[in-house]
Amino acid sequence: MEAWAFSCRTAEEVGALVRALGKHRYLAEVDHRLHWLIDAALSDFAPFDAHAQAFLARRLREPELDAASRDPSLWRAASADEVAAALAALWSPEPEAEARRKALLALALAEGLGAPEHAPFEGDVEYPDHPSLVLLSWTLHAVHDLDAERHAGALAAMAEAGEEIDVSARVEHEGPDLGLAELLHGAPRGVLTSELLVWADGPFAYSDYVFRGASRAAKLVDPPEAPR
């Protein structure tokens, strides 16, 4: 996969980008997930409070549950709005955000999950920290499923690029690794320390066209920086 760097500098801009990537005409499926630690740290306001209470009830029912494991059920499906709200709550420059970040770290340490040892957005791409707290992925239609009129923009971009492509394969987009390091230290005073990376496989021109459109829809200041 290759990464595009988006010029998001605030949680609001990241939220706008997540919404844009989840509703364009090339999208086949979207999968956003939040770890239970997010709900627990943000349990002082909706909609996270209900999910936090539900997880506490589950732990009472399932005392053998390892809440620090890689069990997929420790992440729940979330809407783009919930993802945006979670990032805004943790990356806000307001004083209450610092309290929530401290709560997040305390919860993680209580489960035996170590504090991050690297700077935010500088972890190992191949072996991200456990747990990734916010999971973002989008699946685009395969090229042969695109409509000549409805999807004319990307089809024209791919025709102009002339790259060899697998027309039957769906295209996968994945969001950045957002673990403890990023959520605790990734936006001091409300400003991200790095551009946001979104990864893609498949035809370069296809993803580049979609990403540029999403950047415009999110009203970002600059277009995404392509890997080539």
Side-chain angles (χ1 to χ4, degrees):
M1 302 185 87
E2 298 180 291
W4 276 251
F6 287 82
S7 59
C8 299
R9 286 304 184 191
T10 66
E12 288 72 21
E13 289 178 338
V14 176
L17 178 62
V18 169
R19 292 186 181 98
L21 288 172
K23 62 182 181 183
H24 57 76
R25 65 173 61 97
Y26 298 90
L27 191 69
E29 297 176 9
V30 59
D31 187 13
H32 300 151
R33 297 192 175 272
L34 295 178
H35 193 266
W36 73 267
L37 284 171
I38 296 289
D39 289 325
L42 304 182
S43 61
D44 58 326
F45 70 104
F48 308 98
D49 53 348
H51 291 290
Q53 290 300 319
F55 188 76
L56 284 174
R58 180 188 175 192
R59 296 190 79 167
L60 291 175
R61 294 193 311 270
E62 303 174 32
E64 74 286 355
L65 179 66
D66 183 356
S69 72
R70 298 178 185 271
D71 184 339
S73 70
L74 299 177
W75 287 259
R76 67 168 178 88
S79 67
D81 286 341
E82 287 179 301
V83 170
L87 295 177
L90 291 166
W91 283 344
S92 167
E94 300 302 320
E96 57 266 26
E98 178 62 24
R100 290 173 183 142
R101 290 192 294 269
K102 289 180 178 178
L104 176 61
L105 178 58
L107 287 162
L109 294 176
E111 298 295 336
L113 297 165
E117 297 181 351
H118 61 79
F121 306 107
E122 294 184 8
D124 189 324
V125 175
E126 297 295 329
Y127 302 98
D129 293 347
H130 172 71
S132 291
L133 299 177
V134 180
L135 301 177
L136 303 171
S137 66
W138 306 268
T139 302
L140 277 56
H141 292 293
V143 174
H144 74 35
D145 292 331
L146 299 181
D147 180 84
E149 294 184 3
R150 178 171 169 76
H151 303 115
L155 289 169
M158 286 184 278
E160 182 178 353
E163 58 184 314
E164 184 175 342
I165 61 176
D166 180 355
V167 299
S168 64
R170 286 186 167 191
V171 173
E172 301 295 336
H173 290 172
E174 293 183 4
D177 178 35
L178 295 176
L180 283 172
E182 289 70 35
L183 296 183
L184 294 175
H185 310 301
R189 295 177 295 281
V191 179
L192 270 68
T193 61
S194 172
E195 293 179 310
L196 202 77
L197 297 182
V198 179
W199 299 79
D201 65 8
F204 175 88
Y206 188 178
S207 291
D208 192 60
Y209 180 88
V210 168
F211 285 153
R212 289 177 181 276
S215 181
R216 289 193 298 272
K219 295 181 170 57
L220 301 184
V221 174
D222 297 309
E225 182 178 344
R228 55 187 167 94

